C-alpha cells in the first residue's frame, strides 16, 4: 500500500519520517525531495581527486552536456520497520533530457539523506537551483514489519555528506569523448597555419626541382598529401611525393586553455 498525503504528513509529524520536510512538498501519494548543498561531477578527464561542489541559497548547479552528476537531497529520511520507498525524477528534469540511474529501494531502518546519479543526455547545460524539487519519493507499506536484525545496517547508514559516498573520480564516457574531440579540434585548428606552410614548402620544392608544367602533367590522385597525427608525441606528419614533413603540435600547449 502506497502512503497517501495524510499518512505521509502524520508520519512526518509523529515518527520523524522526513527530517527538515516542507509541508507544501507533500503530494497526493509522494513527497518532493529538494536539491541539497552538495554535488559532484568531474570537470576534466585528467582530474585525479574528487572535488565536491557546494551550493548556498540562490546558487545554481550547472550540469554540462553528457556529464554525470551526483547530487544529495536537503531532506533526510528515517525509514521505520514497516516501510520501504523508491525515487523517480520529476517531469521538469525529464523534459530537460536528464536520466536518473536506477537504484535499489530504501531498506527499512535506513537513516540518512538520499544520493542520486543524474545523467545529462542533452546537448545543453542543465541548471538546478539549490532547494529545487529534484526527486519524487514514494513510500510503500510492507505486508508485515521486518525484525530488528533485518533492518538496514550498511556502510551508508546516517549518510549526510556526499564526501562519504563519492571517493573515486567518475567521468561519463560520452562526456570524456566530447572533451577529447574538442581538445584535438582545438589543437588541429591551431596547427592549420603550420600545415598550410608545410604544403606550400613542399609545392615550392617540387616546383624548383621539376617545374610547374611537369608537376601538372604528372600529378595523379595517389600523389595527394597524406596526414598522420601521433597523439603520444603530439606531432603531425605529412607524406607527399616520397617526402616526409613533420610538424610539432606541442608549441601551443603552453598557452592557457579558455
Amino acid at each position: 500500500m502506497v502512503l497517501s498525503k495524510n499518512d505521509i504528513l502524520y508520519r512526518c509529524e509523529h515518527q520523524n519520517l522526513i527530517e527538515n520536510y516542507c509541508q507544501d512538498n507533500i503530494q497526493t501519494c509522494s513527497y518532493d525531495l529538494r536539491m541539497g548543498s552538495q554535488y559532484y561531477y568531474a570537470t576534466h578527464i585528467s582530474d585525479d581527486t574528487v572535488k565536491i561542489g557546494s551550493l548556498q541559497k540562490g546558487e545554481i548547479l550547472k550540469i554540462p552536456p553528457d556529464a554525470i552528476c551526483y547530487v544529495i537531497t536537503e531532506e533526510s529520511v528515517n525509514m521505520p520497520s514497516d516501510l520501504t520507498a523508491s525515487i523517480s525524477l520529476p517531469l521538469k528534469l525529464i523534459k530537460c533530457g536528464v536520466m536518473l540511474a536506477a537504484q535499489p529501494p530504501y531498506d527499512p531502518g535506513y537513516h540518512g539523506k538520499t544520493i542520486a546519479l543524474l545523467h545529462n543526455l542533452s546537448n545543453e547545460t542543465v541548471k538546478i537551483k539549490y532547494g529545487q524539487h529534484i526527486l519524487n519519493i514514494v513510500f510503500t507499506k510492507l505486508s508485515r514489519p521486518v525484525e530488528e536484525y533485518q533492518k538496514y545496517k550498511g556502510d551508508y547508514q546516517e549518510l549526510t555528506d556526499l564526501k562519504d559516498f563519492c571517493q573515486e573520480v567518475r567521468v561519463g564516457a560520452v562526456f570524456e569523448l566530447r572533451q577529447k574531440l574538442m581538445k584535438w579540434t582545438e589543437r588541429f585548428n591551431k596547427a592549420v597555419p603550420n600545415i598550410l606552410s608545410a604544403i606550400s614548402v613542399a609545392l615550392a620544392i617540387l616546383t624548383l626541382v621539376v617545374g610547374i608544367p611537369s608537376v601538372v602533367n604528372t600529378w595523379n590522385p595517389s600523389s595527394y598529401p597524406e596526414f598522420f597525427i601521433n597523439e603520444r608525441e603530439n606531432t603531425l606528419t605529412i607524406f607527399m611525393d616520397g617526402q616526409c614533413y613533420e610538424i610539432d603540435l606541442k608549441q601551443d600547449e603552453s598557452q592557457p586553455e579558455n
Side-chain angles (χ1 to χ4, degrees), residues 87-252:
I87 59 173
S88 61
L89 278 180
L91 286 175
K92 181 177 180 179
L93 289 181
I94 294 176
K95 289 174 63 177
C96 291
V98 177
M99 183 181 72
L100 172 67
Q103 57 193 75
Y106 295 70
D107 286 330
Y110 172 74
H111 306 291
K113 294 191 174 186
T114 299
I115 291 178
L117 175 59
L118 307 182
H119 190 174
N120 179 11
L121 299 176
S122 73
N123 291 323
E124 298 181 358
T125 299
V126 171
K127 300 178 181 180
I128 300 177
K129 191 175 182 179
Y130 172 75
Q132 176 182 324
H133 169 205
I134 57 169
L135 295 169
N136 303 321
I137 183 169
V138 175
F139 298 95
T140 304
K141 191 170 183 179
L142 301 177
S143 58
R144 66 175 60 182
V146 301
E147 300 294 336
E148 186 65 30
Y149 72 90
Q150 295 176 313
K151 291 183 178 180
Y152 179 82
K153 297 180 176 64
D155 296 335
Y156 303 116
Q157 186 69 288
E158 305 295 344
L159 182 63
T160 58
D161 194 326
L162 197 56
K163 295 178 182 178
D164 297 331
F165 185 85
C166 298
Q167 298 180 350
E168 298 179 355
V169 175
R170 291 286 184 266
V171 181
V174 179
F175 180 74
E176 183 177 3
L177 178 60
R178 176 190 285 266
Q179 285 203 322
K180 285 184 177 180
L181 289 175
M182 292 177 62
K183 180 179 179 180
W184 280 106
T185 298
E186 183 178 355
R187 287 185 177 181
F188 182 79
N189 289 337
K190 289 181 179 180
V192 166
N194 293 335
I195 295 173
L196 296 178
S197 297
I199 294 175
S200 299
V201 170
L203 292 176
I205 293 174
L206 289 174
T207 300
L208 292 175
V209 174
V210 299
I212 294 179
S214 177
V215 173
V216 173
N217 293 331
T218 61
W219 182 87
N220 62 75
S222 62
S223 66
Y224 193 80
E226 296 182 1
F227 306 92
F228 173 75
I229 295 179
N230 187 325
E231 296 187 13
R232 179 174 296 180
E233 301 295 334
N234 285 330
T235 58
L236 171 67
T237 303
I238 302 176
F239 299 95
M240 183 173 178
D241 290 335
Q243 299 295 319
C244 176
Y245 306 92
E246 190 173 274
I247 301 174
D248 187 0
L249 299 178
K250 293 184 291 185
Q251 61 181 4
D252 293 322

